[in-house]
């Protein structure tokens, strides 16, 4: 019978795996989650996710941004980008077709395999970007170069352009990164990175950067379905990539898996301490078993709405409320919605986190309001 583990053990394990209990780090890239990637979505994005894990600001360009998993921008160590380019490739042709969503149907109808299409898009992108290029200019150039099966009519833009997901998923394989702080996004070549053009598979990844292992490492215990939802891959492909050293445990009667080396930390984790104001897309919230983190499902819509996600107040691994920033000039107000009674220590910790957020944004904290 698999070893039974409790919800509190799982949350404590993840809290420490995500390094949310620490207050300082030695360098901007001193964060284990950078092996898997930290999503850079929202006003503060990856930079605040790193800050709440104690890292100092990146002053020397040791970090880089690239479109990878789910087509979202993610932050990585610059030196790791060649390994990340391998690890984030599709696991198979079926996986590639799933990851490009609605683009797969017209390509398949035209007899163009998804991986072939992705290689072609990456090749064209590399040729186009000889200097920093805004996304719109890149899209226009690709529309001129690629035939109809690669294109769609975009109602909001009232024009024809490339399907979005092939565009995003091909960028890193073309040796391109996103310039931080640009809106609309600007793409530029990654120095010293030779384009891969989807020359392999995510199954070729180094163990440290393997996204299946990475999910188990940071979000375990988990199931193949959880992992597949995170990387937009078919469950069949995830099972084929399942680590041989994963061991079974039981969570609320469900069989899940954890990497063997992590089992002791799961069974006997240190008690999680600390209050954090996590951004809307912080990795701690990117799990696929939301009901474990927030058992009251009526709270899910408030925490994970389709549009306009709030930040989350977390106390020792438990979600205890929501927060939203309000900026006026150079002043920041943090509006909080507590889900639990605010004790003096909890309120003081929230105020301290708000001050750190204002410092991170280089503005003045005006107030923390309810």
């Amino acid at each position: 019978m698999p070893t039974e583990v409790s919800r509190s053990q799982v949350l404590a394990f993840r809290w420490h795996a995500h390094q949310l209990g620490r207050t300082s780090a030695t360098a901007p890239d001193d964060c284990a989650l950078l092996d898997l990637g930290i999503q850079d979505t929202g006003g503060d994005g990856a930079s605040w996710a790193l800050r709440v894990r104690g890292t100092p600001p990146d002053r020397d360009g040791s970090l880089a941004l690239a479109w990878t998993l789910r087509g979202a921008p993610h932050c990585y160590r610059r030196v790791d980008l060649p390994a990340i380019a391998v690890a984030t490739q599709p696991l198979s042709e079926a996986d590639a077709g799933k990851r490009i969503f609605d683009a797969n149907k017209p390509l398949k109808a035209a007899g163009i395999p998804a991986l072939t299409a992705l290689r072609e898009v990456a090749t064209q992108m590399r040729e186009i970007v000889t200097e920093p290029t805004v996304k719109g200019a890149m899209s226009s150039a690709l529309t001129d170069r690629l035939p109809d099966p690669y294109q769609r009519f975009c109602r909001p833009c009232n024009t024809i352009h490339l399907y979005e997901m092939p565009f995003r998923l091909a960028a890193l394989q073309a040796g391109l990164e996103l310039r931080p702080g640009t809106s609309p996004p600007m793409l530029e070549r990654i120095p010293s990175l030779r384009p891969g053009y989807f020359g392999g598979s995510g199954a070729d990844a180094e163990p440290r950067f393997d996204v299946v292992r990475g999910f188990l490492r940071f979000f375990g215990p988990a199931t193949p379905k959880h992992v597949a939802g995170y990387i937009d891959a078919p469950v069949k492909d995830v099972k084929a990539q399942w680590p041989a050293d994963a061991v079974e445990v039981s969570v609320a009667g469900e069989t899940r898996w954890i990497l063997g080396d992590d089992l002791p930390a799961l069974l006997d984790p240190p008690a999680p301490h600390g209050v954090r104001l996590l951004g809307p897309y912080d990795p701690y919230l990117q799990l696929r078993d939301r009901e474990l983190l927030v058992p009251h499902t009526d709270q899910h819509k408030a925490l994970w709405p389709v549009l306009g996600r709030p930040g989350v107040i977390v106390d020792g691994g438990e979600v205890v409320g929501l927060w939203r920033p309000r900026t006026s000039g150079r002043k920041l107000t943090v509006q909080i919605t507590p889900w639990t009674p605010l004790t003096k220590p909890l309120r003081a910790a929230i105020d301290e986190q708000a001050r750190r957020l204002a410092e991170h944004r280089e503005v003045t904290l005006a107030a923390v309001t309810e």
Side-chain angles (χ1 to χ4, degrees), residues 64-66 78 81 175-179 186-191:
L65 294 176
R78 180 168 295 281
L81 286 178
L176 306 178
E177 63 179 307
L178 294 164
R179 179 174 287 187
M186 181 174 287
L187 292 147
E188 55 191 353
R189 289 192 174 189
I190 301 169

Side-chain angles (χ1 to χ4, degrees), residues 7 10-11 14 251 256 289-295 300:
R7 174 179 177 273
V10 174
L11 292 186
R14 292 178 182 177
V251 181
R256 299 189 181 196
D289 53 353
R290 293 175 173 180
E291 69 286 348
L292 188 142
L293 179 61
V294 181
H300 287 192

Side-chain angles (χ1 to χ4, degrees), residues 151-169:
Q151 302 177 23
R152 69 182 180 91
F153 176 74
C154 177
R155 190 174 300 277
C157 300
N158 194 33
T159 190
I160 293 174
H161 53 62
L162 204 74
Y163 280 91
E164 185 73 12
M165 288 305 288
F167 180 98
R168 288 174 176 254
L169 295 178

Side-chain angles (χ1 to χ4, degrees), residues 23 100 188 228 290 318 322 326:
T23 56
I100 62 175
E188 55 191 353
R290 293 175 173 180
E318 294 281 359
L322 310 176
R326 300 284 186 267

Side-chain angles (χ1 to χ4, degrees), residues 15-29:
W15 180 263
H16 291 292
H18 283 242
Q19 298 177 299
L20 284 164
R22 67 178 187 174
T23 56
S24 64
T26 59
D29 60 359

